[in-house]
Amino acid sequence: MKILMFVLALVSTITHADLNKCAKDGRFSYQELPCDRSSSVAEIRTDTAGESMIGCYGFKYRESSGEKDVIAEIKNASGGGLEMSGFIGDKTRGVRMKRATYEEVQTVARNFRLDLRQGVSMKWVKDPTTNQPPLGFYKGKDDKGNDVILVYFALINAKAKRIPCP
């Protein structure tokens, strides 16, 4: 019985997705284990469950002919995974998406100086000869602590709002 309780406790700590940001001597490290006593600590709540980003988003898209209102929907795809549709008309209907990895979320967070916690990104076929950015939708907080949803694509970097799906 004691062994079973130990295994259950071990599994629950292994599957826990939160991280600790530890600062020591001006250097940062990210780890699942608590920081040692001589480090300053910032707990990072990660939520990479892309399903919580399922829904519709409205944002503005600027092009040479003016500004357009855009509605994009993130939904479960048939056969698994996620899909984005309705992005600037029907041009990208059925674009395959996936839960953004922690590294993708942090890359976008650094680039835009936002405290992003989760996202959905385009599902690419990996090409080691290019540096493919993690394009997609990301959610977190701005520098004032306000909720923010960022749409990050090749020609579109915009703040979005969650809206009811049409």
Side-chain angles (χ1 to χ4, degrees), residues 73-78 80-85 92-98:
E73 181 179 10
I74 305 293
K75 58 187 175 184
N76 286 316
S78 59
L82 300 168
E83 178 179 276
M84 177 183 64
S85 64
T92 60
R93 183 161 302 279
V95 171
R96 300 294 290 183
M97 306 291 282
K98 64 177 183 61

Side-chain angles (χ1 to χ4, degrees), residues 15-111:
T15 60
H16 191 62
D18 294 340
L19 295 174
N20 294 293
K21 179 179 179 181
C22 306
K24 186 174 184 176
D25 301 326
R27 302 177 100 183
F28 294 99
S29 67
Y30 298 90
Q31 58 193 49
E32 289 183 19
L33 298 173
C35 303
D36 65 34
R37 293 178 191 250
S38 63
S39 298
S40 61
V41 179
E43 184 179 6
I44 299 172
R45 300 299 248 174
T46 57
D47 180 5
T48 56
E51 287 81 10
S52 66
M53 295 208 48
I54 289 175
C56 290
Y57 299 90
F59 57 95
K60 304 274 186 199
Y61 170 65
R62 289 186 188 93
E63 58 180 25
S64 59
S65 62
E67 195 171 75
K68 292 184 178 182
D69 289 321
V70 179
I71 296 175
E73 181 179 10
I74 305 293
K75 58 187 175 184
N76 286 316
S78 59
L82 300 168
E83 178 179 276
M84 177 183 64
S85 64
F87 188 73
I88 309 177
D90 288 335
K91 288 184 183 175
T92 60
R93 183 161 302 279
V95 171
R96 300 294 290 183
M97 306 291 282
K98 64 177 183 61
R99 291 181 205 158
T101 65
Y102 176 77
E103 291 78 18
E104 289 173 325
V105 172
Q106 291 309 301
T107 296
V108 175
R110 278 191 304 275
N111 289 344

Side-chain angles (χ1 to χ4, degrees), residues 91-152:
K91 288 184 183 175
T92 60
R93 183 161 302 279
V95 171
R96 300 294 290 183
M97 306 291 282
K98 64 177 183 61
R99 291 181 205 158
T101 65
Y102 176 77
E103 291 78 18
E104 289 173 325
V105 172
Q106 291 309 301
T107 296
V108 175
R110 278 191 304 275
N111 289 344
F112 290 92
R113 296 187 176 146
L114 296 169
D115 182 19
L116 301 175
R117 302 298 172 101
Q118 65 177 339
V120 292
S121 61
M122 288 182 66
K123 196 170 193 173
W124 298 97
V125 174
K126 292 287 184 190
D127 181 355
T129 63
T130 63
N131 184 17
Q132 296 167 331
L135 304 177
F137 291 74
Y138 296 89
K139 194 159 75 170
K141 304 269 185 198
D142 65 15
D143 59 346
K144 295 177 183 160
N146 299 314
D147 290 335
V148 65
I149 298 168
L150 175 70
V151 179
Y152 174 53

